[in-house]
Amino acid sequence: MLFRSEILGAIVLNEDITDRVRAEQALRQNHALLTAIMDTATEIIYVKDCDGRYLHMNKAGARLLGMTVEEIIGWDDYALWPSELATSCRATDRRVTESGEVLTVEETETSNGKTTTYLTTKAPYRDPEGRIIGVIGVSRDITERKQAEEDLRASEERFAKAFRSSPYPIVISEVESGLFIEANDAAFRNFGYQPEEVTNRTSTELHLWPTPDHRRRFVEHLQQTGAIRNLEIDIRIRRGELRHCLVSAELIELHGKHCMVTVGSDITEQKRAEQKLQQSHAFIRQIIDTDPNFIFAKDRAGRFTLVNKAVADAYGTTVDQLIGKTDADFNKNAEEVAYFLRKDRDVMDRLEDQFTPEERITDATGAIRWLQTVKRPILDETGRATMVLGAATDITERKQMEE
């Protein structure tokens, strides 16, 4: 009997792989999202195996190297970076893979004379079983921050040197409480205190201000204007004497506290000298204004630098109004004005005293007055005559009697 084979039907096996497809899609989406995040980042992000070969690098790192991401894959640090940086990177990688710890280090690259500093954080790269199979790294360029820190450090160092060496007292104190933060040697020397005597104490406790209200007004002024320049105040030194000081102040922020830096100088002796000079000037002024004779001084341009009341009365004006003006501003007789200027300059050029027995002047009323005048040059420190000093006696009555 012959058997004849014949297809009678088919057996179909189906497997539902919907979840797997969804998982693969989700995985692709997550990978695309992570890649997009990495490529958007400005930091350099990379993954290396245990031999230091790059498995991945984001676009920021690729741009820095002038390569594509695909060109970087498979190369190690020595092929991509300067040897010094590569050696440092490999050493840090080994520490991470051997210890399993996350490390943050600073790495420096010097290329074409330019130094770049990176703040790098590295962590172990593990497989699904937890075995360390490489390193994940993130490097941020902190060159500008490092430069700013260096500039700040240098600035602070310069300030500290200037602070310590300044011949002027400099004090840093809290605005609200007046607590002393720091003072330089000049401050201790001028005010008679030792450093330990002002530590953790306020200006009010040391009675530096004449009254607490004086400090309050000073602080209010500083807060309103933001800075104080060359303000004269009284400060009490250790032995209780009030000294007159010229101070400037600035507001600063220090350790979260509002503080002020105050720089000053003791001008007590200067003020006393000025007062004596003013008293002397007032005394001399009384003397020359009492003198009925003309007393005056002029510069080379003929401007009055000194006059007494007799000259001002003759010209029908005041002493203050005459200073800085010339004879021409008050005397309408151009011939007389030219004569006075010529005689004045002759005295200064010859560097000799000059006596004029008779000369005329037209006063404010238009009357002619006769003067007997003595003039002498006033010299500067180089011996050059810059002014002429004159004294003239009114001889009008004698002249009229002679006539």
Side-chain angles (χ1 to χ4, degrees):
M1 174 184 273
L2 295 175
F3 291 93
R4 188 175 54 184
S5 61
E6 184 178 349
I7 297 175
L8 300 177
I11 298 175
V12 178
L13 298 177
N14 291 322
E15 181 181 357
D16 189 344
I17 59 171
T18 304
D19 291 340
R20 190 177 73 188
V21 170
R22 288 174 179 171
E24 289 175 353
Q25 289 176 343
L27 187 61
R28 283 195 294 270
Q29 290 173 353
N30 287 338
H31 179 76
L33 178 61
L34 290 174
T35 300
I37 292 172
M38 289 177 63
D39 287 341
T40 303
T42 56
E43 295 89 351
I44 302 171
I45 303 175
Y46 50 87
V47 181
K48 293 188 278 187
D49 63 20
C50 288
D51 294 323
R53 290 186 295 264
Y54 283 89
L55 303 177
H56 185 73
M57 181 177 286
N58 69 342
K59 289 183 178 179
R63 280 195 301 270
L64 181 65
L65 289 168
M67 302 169 68
T68 65
V69 172
E70 293 73 19
E71 290 173 335
I72 293 169
I73 303 305
W75 292 102
D76 64 10
D77 291 307
Y78 288 99
L80 300 175
W81 306 105
S83 59
E84 186 176 348
L85 177 60
T87 300
S88 173
C89 290
R90 290 298 296 133
T92 307
D93 291 350
R94 283 192 292 270
R95 288 173 57 192
V96 171
T97 55
E98 291 171 2
S99 68
E101 297 178 351
V102 177
L103 294 180
T104 298
V105 296
E106 287 187 7
E107 296 174 331
T108 302
E109 173 204 4
T110 301
S111 178
N112 298 323
K114 180 182 177 182
T115 299
T116 305
T117 303
Y118 299 96
L119 183 65
T120 299
T121 298
K122 295 183 177 182
Y125 173 40
R126 300 176 184 271
D127 66 11
E129 284 73 36
R131 292 188 298 268
I132 296 175
I133 57 174
V135 172
I136 300 173
V138 179
S139 297
R140 175 180 299 172
D141 186 340
I142 59 168
T143 307
E144 290 185 4
R145 191 186 83 184
K146 292 288 289 185
Q147 185 60 53
E149 291 173 352
E150 178 60 26
D151 292 344
L152 178 61
R153 186 200 62 76
S155 176
E156 290 175 345
E157 185 176 332
R158 287 194 298 270
F159 174 79
K161 288 181 179 178
F163 181 84
R164 290 191 298 268
S165 62
S166 173
Y168 299 103
I170 305 177
V171 176
I172 303 175
S173 60
E174 291 184 3
V175 172
E176 184 176 351
S177 66
L179 182 71
F180 287 106
I181 305 299
E182 188 66 81
N184 67 347
D185 291 341
F188 292 119
R189 187 168 56 251
N190 276 261
F191 297 110
Y193 288 95
Q194 296 297 319
E196 59 271 14
E197 293 179 295
V198 302
T199 302
N200 295 324
R201 301 189 70 183
T202 68
S203 58
T204 304
E205 291 173 333
L206 295 177
H207 305 289
L208 290 184
W209 297 88
T211 68
D213 195 51
H214 282 79
R215 182 183 185 276
R216 179 187 60 78
R217 291 199 300 269
F218 182 85
V219 170
E220 286 179 354
H221 183 191
L222 179 59
Q223 290 176 325
Q224 289 170 1
T225 60
I228 289 177
R229 293 289 180 270
N230 299 325
L231 179 68
E232 294 186 16
I233 63 172
D234 289 324
I235 293 292
R236 184 178 288 106
I237 62 176
R238 192 177 187 279
R239 61 175 181 264
E241 177 188 355
L242 281 176
R243 304 289 291 182
H244 203 67
C245 299
L246 185 69
V247 303
S248 297
E250 290 270 0
L251 291 171
I252 63 169
E253 189 83 12
L254 193 62
H255 306 307
K257 293 279 189 177
H258 295 295
C259 298
M260 61 181 178
V261 179
T262 308
V263 182
S265 59
D266 188 337
I267 59 170
T268 305
E269 303 307 324
Q270 178 185 331
K271 294 295 289 186
R272 288 173 180 170
E274 288 176 358
Q275 289 173 355
K276 289 181 180 179
L277 184 61
Q278 289 171 356
Q279 291 170 357
S280 176
H281 179 77
F283 178 68
I284 294 174
R285 168 55 62 185
Q286 289 183 47
I287 293 175
I288 67 173
D289 282 343
T290 303
D291 194 330
N293 297 314
F294 289 8
I295 299 174
F296 58 88
K298 302 177 192 174
D299 62 18
R300 281 191 169 270
R303 293 183 293 262
F304 286 100
T305 58
L306 171 71
V307 292
N308 69 342
K309 191 173 182 298
V311 178
D313 289 345
Y315 274 150
T317 185
T318 65
V319 169
D320 289 339
Q321 289 176 337
L322 195 52
I323 298 299
K325 301 294 180 60
T326 69
D327 289 289
D329 293 312
F330 299 92
N331 191 336
K332 296 180 180 179
N333 190 317
E335 184 179 344
E336 287 181 1
V337 170
Y339 166 80
F340 291 147
L341 185 59
R342 185 172 65 254
K343 296 286 282 186
D344 292 344
R345 287 178 175 172
D346 189 48
V347 170
M348 288 186 279
D349 291 340
R350 292 176 179 270
L351 299 178
E352 293 178 352
D353 292 2
Q354 189 178 94
F355 173 70
T356 303
E358 292 182 359
E359 61 183 7
R360 53 177 278 175
I361 184 172
T362 303
D363 67 16
T365 66
I368 303 299
R369 298 169 69 170
W370 290 91
L371 305 174
Q372 187 176 86
T373 306
V374 176
K375 294 180 179 180
R376 65 174 41 183
I378 300 177
L379 310 182
D380 63 14
E381 62 277 2
T382 66
R384 178 176 175 271
T386 56
M387 289 187 288
V388 61
L389 176 64
T393 303
D394 189 334
I395 60 172
T396 305
E397 290 184 7
R398 191 186 77 183
K399 182 77 173 172
Q400 290 171 347
M401 289 176 62
E402 289 175 351
E403 293 177 352

